[in-house]
């Protein structure tokens, strides 16, 4: 907002949406059409969620003309950003909004997947809750179908409700051609170039889990039902001796 401090109020308000979209940290947002913002049906229920709702709406729609002090202006500005975010979540699931977000997705404006096997597949912003103030925005990879935190602290502080929980799924339903082929590649552990034997690794894991369970049952003073290895060895030796004695008698 420092760039606008020297401008008049009319200049300040006429550039509000342009300033918001171009500000650092707001790269995830697309510009909402003025026709959508001025349609009261699209704003149903938001007046109860945003403080100074009417003033904030006037600021976002470039008709703000209230003469107020700096503190009041700051509060209205904060409400305007919150209002824009809530409307943004509704706008990006419309035909026009999906098209705008698709272009940003194609350009990689939301970042690339950090997973090596995904080969820098583009990410999409999404929320874990549709209610504001619950969870910050996350980034969804359509290739590995996992979620990641934004790298930038500016992006990590954005409310996930400004994108909603359904946007990324709706986008791929409308544009199914954009769904990437799922990655079948997995990291394979190796020792000196040779693959680690999967059966051996599984056996070690099973033995460890068995030992953990036996220790847990012993602490609870519950009969494990397992026989110790030493006892198994002694029993096998006894069986061998009996078989040898029987053969000698015959």
């Amino acid at each position: 907002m420092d760039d606008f401090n020297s401008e008049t109020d009319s200049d300040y308000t006429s550039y509000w949406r342009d300033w918001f979209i171009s500000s650092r940290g707001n790269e995830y947002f697309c510009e909402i059409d003025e026709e959508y913002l001025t349609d009261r049906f699209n704003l149903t229920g938001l007046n109860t969620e945003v403080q100074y709702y009417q003033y904030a709406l006037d600021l976002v729609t470039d008709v703000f003309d209230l003469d107020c002090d700096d503190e009041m202006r700051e509060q209205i500005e904060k409400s305007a950003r919150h209002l824009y975010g809530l409307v943004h979540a509704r706008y990006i699931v419309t035909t026009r909004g999906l098209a705008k977000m698709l272009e940003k997705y194609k350009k990689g404006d939301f970042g690339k997947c950090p997973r090596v096997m995904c080969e820098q597949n583009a990410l999409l912003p999404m929320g874990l809750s549709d209610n504001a103030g619950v969870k910050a925005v996350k980034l969804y990879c359509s290739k590995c179908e996992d979620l990641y935190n934004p790298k930038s602290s500016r992006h990590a502080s954005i409310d996930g409700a400004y994108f909603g929980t359904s946007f990324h799924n709706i986008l791929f339903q409308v544009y199914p051609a954009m769904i990437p082929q799922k990655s079948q590649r997995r990291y394979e552990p190796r020792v000196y170039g040779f693959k680690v034997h999967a059966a051996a690794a599984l056996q070690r894991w099973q033995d460890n889990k068995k030992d953990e369970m036996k220790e847990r049952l012993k602490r609870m003073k519950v009969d494990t039902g397992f026989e110790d290895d030493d006892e198994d060895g002694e029993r096998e030796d006894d069986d061998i001796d009996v078989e040898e004695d029987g053969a000698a008698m015959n």
Side-chain angles (χ1 to χ4, degrees), residues 210 214 225-240:
K210 177 181 175 182
K214 288 167 65 176
F226 296 105
E227 297 178 349
D228 294 336
D229 294 337
D230 293 340
E231 295 177 358
D232 292 342
E234 293 176 0
R235 184 176 297 102
E236 291 175 0
D237 292 339
D238 293 339
D239 293 340
I240 293 174

Side-chain angles (χ1 to χ4, degrees), residues 145-172:
E145 298 182 337
D146 209 345
L147 302 181
Y148 301 92
N149 292 318
K151 292 182 178 179
S152 172
S153 58
R154 293 175 181 269
H155 296 151
S157 62
I158 299 176
D159 199 316
Y162 297 165
F163 299 90
T165 59
S166 304
F167 156 66
H168 61 293
N169 293 320
I170 295 176
L171 179 72
F172 289 121

Side-chain angles (χ1 to χ4, degrees), residues 235-250:
R235 184 176 297 102
E236 291 175 0
D237 292 339
D238 293 339
D239 293 340
I240 293 174
D241 293 339
V242 170
E243 291 176 0
E244 291 178 351
D245 293 341
M249 292 176 63
N250 293 332

